[in-house]
Amino acid sequence: MFTLVIIIFFVTVIELPALVMLGIWFGEQALFGVFDLTNPTGSGGGVAYFAHIGGFAFGLLTIRFLATKRKAVPPPHPVY
C-alpha cells in the first residue's frame, strides 16, 4: 500500500504494509474518541469514533466465523 506523507513542505510517497496502516487508523480512532469524550463543552461526537472501531471489530469477527478454509485442489493430470 502506497502512502502519501506530507510534513509541512516535505512530501514523499512510501510503501507501508496494510496492517501497519490499519493499526495507525485503529489507534487514531481510539485516541480521537477518548479525547472527544473528555471535551468539557460536551459538544463532541466521540460516539462516532467508537462506532467505527465497533464496525471494524464486528467485521473481523464476522470474517473469522463465516470464512471457510478451502482445500487446495491439485491440478488435473495432463492428458497426452
Side-chain angles (χ1 to χ4, degrees):
M1 169 181 288
F2 291 102
T3 304
L4 180 66
V5 178
I6 301 172
I7 303 174
I8 307 202
F9 295 112
F10 177 71
V11 178
T12 188
V13 175
I14 60 174
E15 188 172 357
L16 291 174
L19 285 177
V20 170
M21 288 304 299
L22 282 173
I24 291 170
W25 176 85
F26 193 85
E28 180 184 55
Q29 294 296 308
L31 284 175
F32 287 169
V34 168
F35 289 138
D36 211 16
L37 287 178
T38 60
N39 186 0
T41 61
S43 63
V47 173
Y49 294 112
F50 292 115
H52 285 122
I53 292 172
F56 182 79
F58 179 77
L60 284 177
L61 289 173
T62 303
I63 289 171
R64 180 65 104 193
F65 288 123
L66 297 180
T68 59
K69 295 187 183 220
R70 297 180 184 178
K71 292 183 179 181
V73 178
H77 297 291
V79 178
Y80 294 105

